[in-house]
């Protein structure tokens, strides 16, 4: 009899804890997007703490990452960009600005599928390694997000990897 009473009390207790007084509304949290990387690249970590995905190849001495900026979240902090160009201009003005011999190419705009892309090349001289470094900067705009695709290699390997970096940016879809 004690077991029956304990079971009934347990059943009533669990009914009370699973019933909310107010109806709940479901929200989607986080953002899922898809990107294609060259087979020689592998996912990694430790490159940029703000990045959603990071990738590299130590042997080929190339690496990159993607940072996503949700348009709704930008508006919440009063960063209201009216265009992809405005977002790009705001980002590129400070990108590597302290580096020696920094050169930023003229940006190129294009459309890939439903995404808009602005891309440019940035180079600078790294005094520590005594090497010229090449960065591909691609800003990809979808309906709800700006993606910053940042990839790099030595300047001497620019032509070898630039088309792969462009393909990474063009592959983004959400």
């Amino acid at each position: 009899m004690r077991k029956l009473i304990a079971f009934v009390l347990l059943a009533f207790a669990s009914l009370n804890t699973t019933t909310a007084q107010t109806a709940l509304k479901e929200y989607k949290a986080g953002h899922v997007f898809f990107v294609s990387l060259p087979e020689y690249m592998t996912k990694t970590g430790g490159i940029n703490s703000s990045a959603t995905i990071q990738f590299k190849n130590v042997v080929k001495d190339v690496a990159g990452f993607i940072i996503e900026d949700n348009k709704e979240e930008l508006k919440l902090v009063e960063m209201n960009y009216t265009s992809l160009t405005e977002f790009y201009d705001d980002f590129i003005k400070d990108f590597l600005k302290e580096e020696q011999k920094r050169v930023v190419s003229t940006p190129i705009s294009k459309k890939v599928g439903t995404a808009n892309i602005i891309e440019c090349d940035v180079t600078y001289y790294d005094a520590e390694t005594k090497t010229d470094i090449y960065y591909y900067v691609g800003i990809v705009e979808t309906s709800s997000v700006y993606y910053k695709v940042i990839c790099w290699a030595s300047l001497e390997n620019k032509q070898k990897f630039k088309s792969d970096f462009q393909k990474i940016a063009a592959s983004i879809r959400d």
Side-chain angles (χ1 to χ4, degrees):
M1 184 70 166
R2 282 186 185 179
K3 288 183 181 178
L4 179 62
I5 292 172
F7 177 74
V8 170
L9 288 174
L10 183 62
F12 280 123
S14 66
L15 284 175
N16 283 339
T17 60
T18 59
T19 308
Q21 292 182 11
T22 305
L24 301 177
K25 182 177 177 182
E26 183 177 65
Y27 290 90
K28 180 181 174 186
H31 179 76
V32 175
F33 71 94
F34 301 91
V35 61
S36 297
L37 301 174
E39 288 183 356
Y40 61 83
M41 294 280 217
T42 57
K43 284 178 60 174
T44 190
I47 296 174
N48 185 301
S49 61
S50 299
T52 305
I53 185 171
Q54 304 168 56
F55 40 90
K56 70 179 178 181
N57 181 303
V58 175
V59 174
K60 293 183 183 297
D61 196 25
V62 294
F65 57 86
I66 299 172
I67 296 173
E68 60 180 295
D69 290 301
N70 182 291
K71 291 179 181 180
E72 270 187 44
E73 291 172 8
L74 289 172
K75 285 181 182 178
L76 289 174
V77 294
E78 298 178 9
M79 296 179 80
N80 298 310
Y81 295 102
T82 59
S83 68
L84 175 60
T85 301
E86 187 177 31
F87 183 85
Y88 165 82
D89 289 341
D90 188 46
F91 171 73
I92 204 68
K93 74 180 183 336
D94 294 326
F95 183 68
L96 300 173
K97 75 177 183 179
E98 303 297 323
E99 298 298 337
Q100 293 181 25
K101 301 179 185 176
R102 174 183 176 256
V103 177
V104 179
S105 70
T106 302
I108 298 170
S109 298
K110 58 185 175 181
K111 189 165 186 76
V112 176
T114 59
N116 296 308
I117 301 174
I118 291 182
E119 61 184 17
C120 73
D121 298 329
V122 180
T123 59
Y124 74 93
Y125 179 74
D126 186 316
E128 185 178 317
T129 61
K130 296 181 172 65
T131 307
D132 288 311
I133 306 294
Y134 163 68
Y135 275 84
Y136 167 83
V137 176
I139 308 294
V140 180
E141 179 187 27
T142 65
S143 61
S144 61
V145 177
Y146 293 110
Y147 298 94
K148 292 181 276 206
V149 179
I150 314 293
C151 302
W152 64 92
S154 66
L155 182 58
E156 68 185 39
N157 288 326
K158 173 184 174 180
Q159 295 309 316
K160 187 186 296 186
F161 296 113
K162 182 176 178 175
S163 66
D164 286 345
F165 297 161
Q166 290 173 310
K167 288 174 187 175
I168 292 169
S171 75
I172 291 176
R173 60 185 169 79
D174 55 13

